[in-house]
Amino acid sequence: MQNQPNGPQKPLPLLLRWPWVVLVYLALFALLRLWAIPAVLAVGALQKKYSPHGAAEGYCLSRTRKKLNQLPIGILMLFVAVCVGVYALYGDLDALYKQLLAGVMAAGLLALGGYVSFAAVRDSFFPAGSQLARSIRSQLPYPDEAPEVGELFRMVDADLGEDPLWVGSIGIGKEWVLGDSASLISRIRGIFTIDRIEHHRRSNGGSTTSRILELVLVDDRWNQAVTDFKSPQDLQNAADCLAGRVPEARRGGGSARAAFCGMKEEKREAFLQEFDRRQAARLASAPPRFDGRPQSGGFGGF
């Protein structure tokens, strides 16, 4: 298995750093209007080239900041929704069902574009309410008593360290897994890989296909953390790496995930009891580790 350690980072140019990059985005929109979207995406790609995992400002905070790259997509959806809505009201549509269909499409795009835009702004400027921060809190024993977002992010960043193990798009530390959300390794109970082809019909009668690659981690409360991948090999490597850390976890593909997440309460309890029994037997038979470091309590010190 080829893992991807985090090598030396290139120094990030000033205009690509937060918050200066926001001014760059605003200037591009002011000058180019909607034509700025390709340029904004290019700036995002350049940021990733210089600092692919965001070591400069912390891995967690960088993950939330990069959500701003989705804002142009949300704005584009809103623009298309307005165009479709105007066409539905004033266009030359010869049937009522066509007007209704166009109206439904406009409403759907408006809702989706609004959510994407809202989530991008929320995660980028208000990380305390971000998906990543919520996922970290939910893993702690007492989520309502969790510290401020800065402390949460520092806890995960410290666990990943200066040279974490990167497999595809996730970072794996001693206790935490950082993907699109964060997962505590000690709470992982299911590791599932999704690899499917989706077909999309086009208006001209043709069709396009897209490949969906996702790693789904299910914890002991049956919460799911989903991270997208670009490479099927990276996806498999990440699943294998985590399975080596939690060999008692259930593994499989999409159908196994559906069956696992759809288990009744009594089956869940039986699985958790068997998980604990197998894990205790494995740890009892494993040789003790004397690495000179204090053993962790399993919740980042909480």
Side-chain angles (χ1 to χ4, degrees):
M1 181 179 70
Q2 296 181 351
N3 299 330
Q4 297 179 3
N6 183 39
Q9 302 285 314
K10 299 179 180 179
L12 198 64
L14 178 64
L15 291 180
L16 295 181
R17 300 174 190 171
W18 185 271
W20 305 109
V21 69
V22 178
L23 300 180
V24 173
Y25 290 158
L26 294 176
L28 288 172
F29 275 112
L31 293 173
L32 303 177
R33 300 297 191 273
L34 285 176
W35 294 104
I37 291 177
V40 170
L41 296 177
V43 171
L46 192 60
Q47 279 185 299
K48 188 172 182 179
K49 177 182 178 181
Y50 274 89
S51 187
H53 302 299
E57 58 181 348
Y59 302 110
C60 291
L61 189 58
S62 179
R63 287 284 166 118
T64 62
R65 300 296 196 210
K66 287 179 180 178
K67 294 292 185 178
L68 192 63
N69 294 338
Q70 298 178 1
L71 183 59
I73 300 175
I75 294 175
L76 180 60
M77 289 180 179
L78 293 174
F79 176 76
V80 174
V82 171
C83 292
V84 174
V86 170
Y87 184 67
L89 293 175
Y90 304 106
D92 186 18
L93 296 176
D94 56 0
L96 178 60
Y97 81 90
K98 291 183 179 180
Q99 288 182 316
L100 292 175
L101 180 60
V104 170
M105 290 178 59
L109 284 172
L110 187 65
L112 184 59
Y115 174 77
V116 171
S117 302
F118 167 77
V121 173
R122 178 200 63 195
D123 286 17
S124 300
F125 294 96
F126 307 98
S130 66
Q131 173 191 350
L132 179 57
R134 294 197 306 271
S135 69
I136 297 174
R137 289 191 196 97
S138 69
Q139 301 286 303
L140 301 179
Y142 305 103
D144 294 338
E145 301 176 9
E148 297 295 327
V149 63
E151 182 62 28
L152 292 176
F153 284 178
R154 283 191 292 272
M155 175 181 65
V156 177
D157 287 343
D159 179 66
L160 292 174
E162 295 181 356
D163 189 24
L165 173 64
W166 289 100
V167 187
S169 55
I170 69 169
I172 302 176
K174 299 178 180 64
E175 296 183 355
W176 291 91
V177 179
L178 178 61
D180 293 340
S181 57
S183 298
L184 198 58
I185 294 176
S186 62
R187 303 196 83 138
I188 294 176
R189 298 295 181 268
I191 304 170
F192 303 101
T193 55
I194 309 300
D195 185 353
R196 68 175 184 270
I197 303 295
E198 290 191 349
H199 299 273
H200 308 278
R201 291 187 178 182
R202 302 171 60 180
S203 58
N204 59 6
S207 64
T208 58
T209 60
S210 60
R211 189 173 187 179
I212 307 298
L213 298 170
E214 294 176 339
L215 176 66
V216 183
L217 302 178
V218 183
D219 67 14
D220 56 353
R221 300 175 186 177
W222 261 250
N223 296 323
Q224 300 182 53
V226 182
T227 299
D228 294 324
F229 279 75
K230 296 181 179 179
S231 164
Q233 187 61 54
D234 284 343
L235 173 62
Q236 190 61 45
N237 287 347
D240 290 342
C241 180
L242 289 172
R245 302 285 296 275
V246 193
E248 297 81 15
R250 183 72 56 85
R251 287 198 62 178
S255 58
R257 170 198 179 186
F260 186 77
C261 294
M263 283 196 301
K264 301 296 184 181
E265 187 66 28
E266 58 272 14
K267 289 188 176 181
R268 290 186 181 185
E269 291 297 330
F271 171 81
L272 292 176
Q273 291 177 7
E274 177 65 13
F275 179 97
D276 292 341
R277 186 192 66 78
R278 292 172 56 198
Q279 186 178 70
R282 174 174 60 86
L283 295 177
S285 62
R289 285 171 30 188
F290 299 100
D291 54 6
R293 292 178 294 185
Q295 296 299 311
S296 169
F299 290 98
F302 289 90

